Amino acid sequence: MTAREDGQPGPGPVVVLVGPPGAGKSTVGRVLADRLGITYRDTDADIEAGAGKPIPDIFIDEGEPHFRDLERAAVRSALAGHDGVLSLGGGAVMDDGTRALLTGLPVVFLDVGLHDAVRRVGLDAPRPLLAVNPRQRWRELMDVRRPLYTEVARAVVGTDGRTPEDVADAVLDALQLKDA
């Protein structure tokens, strides 16, 4: 089974989920993997496992540039070695090289509005880039990232007011994997 744009079988994820914090990438990714009978992988979890500490601690101890280096390596490794459902961290698309690697892959941008994102993430969650004035900072991040998410995506699926199961159905429909 493959969802590559060129229709050729090969290595790489069946689905790659991108989007901002609170979009539901991890939750929907697990639902998709379960439905498709394949594995799920999250590059943020890969980074934490490799660093031996949570992402907020990486930001505090080593800074954002170091985190972005770890993220770039984690994404490259996952894209090359994972053939299931893959969720990328919210900022992964900021890297030009990462966006180039996503070309031709079955990428879905899970879009979410501020209200639902705040409700899902919470204002006290350990999200380093949302630590000060989270609502304003989330809007600023989306102003920069939305065009990049759209650039890499084969499909855009809105998640506002939808259950993870409904979103997973929409992703499967968008990628024509419904009967997979």
Side-chain angles (χ1 to χ4, degrees):
M1 170 178 39
T2 184
R4 287 188 171 278
E5 194 169 90
D6 61 9
Q8 297 300 310
V14 172
V15 180
V16 179
L17 299 176
V18 299
K25 298 179 300 288
S26 298
T27 303
V28 171
R30 287 183 191 97
V31 171
L32 284 167
D34 185 55
R35 287 199 184 162
L36 294 170
I38 56 180
T39 58
Y40 171 73
R41 186 168 173 180
D42 182 328
T43 58
D44 280 350
D46 291 351
I47 294 165
E48 290 183 339
K53 59 177 131 181
I55 289 172
D57 290 354
I58 298 169
F59 267 77
I60 292 166
D61 297 344
E62 284 91 25
E64 184 177 358
H66 178 72
F67 169 75
R68 295 297 173 199
D69 289 343
L70 296 174
E71 181 175 55
R72 188 175 305 107
V75 169
R76 181 175 298 278
S77 173
L79 289 173
H82 182 68
D83 60 1
V85 176
L86 178 64
S87 295
L88 304 187
V93 298
M94 300 294 292
D95 182 72
D96 293 339
T98 295
R99 289 196 312 280
L101 289 173
L102 293 172
T103 301
L105 295 179
V107 179
V108 177
F109 165 28
L110 295 185
D111 198 4
V112 63
L114 175 62
H115 180 268
D116 275 23
V118 167
R119 182 177 52 78
R120 294 175 188 167
V121 173
L123 297 181
D124 59 350
R127 306 271 180 166
L129 293 181
L130 300 178
V132 178
N133 195 347
R135 285 184 174 90
Q136 178 182 342
R137 186 67 181 127
W138 191 89
R139 282 189 193 102
E140 291 167 356
L141 287 173
M142 285 304 292
D143 286 347
V144 172
R145 293 178 181 180
R146 184 177 302 280
L148 302 177
Y149 292 137
T150 303
E151 174 188 324
V152 300
R154 185 182 299 175
V156 177
V157 173
T159 66
D160 286 349
R162 297 169 97 174
T163 67
E165 293 75 20
D166 291 340
V167 175
D169 285 341
V171 169
L172 293 171
D173 286 343
L175 294 178
Q176 299 177 338
L177 295 172
K178 194 67 169 186
D179 297 320

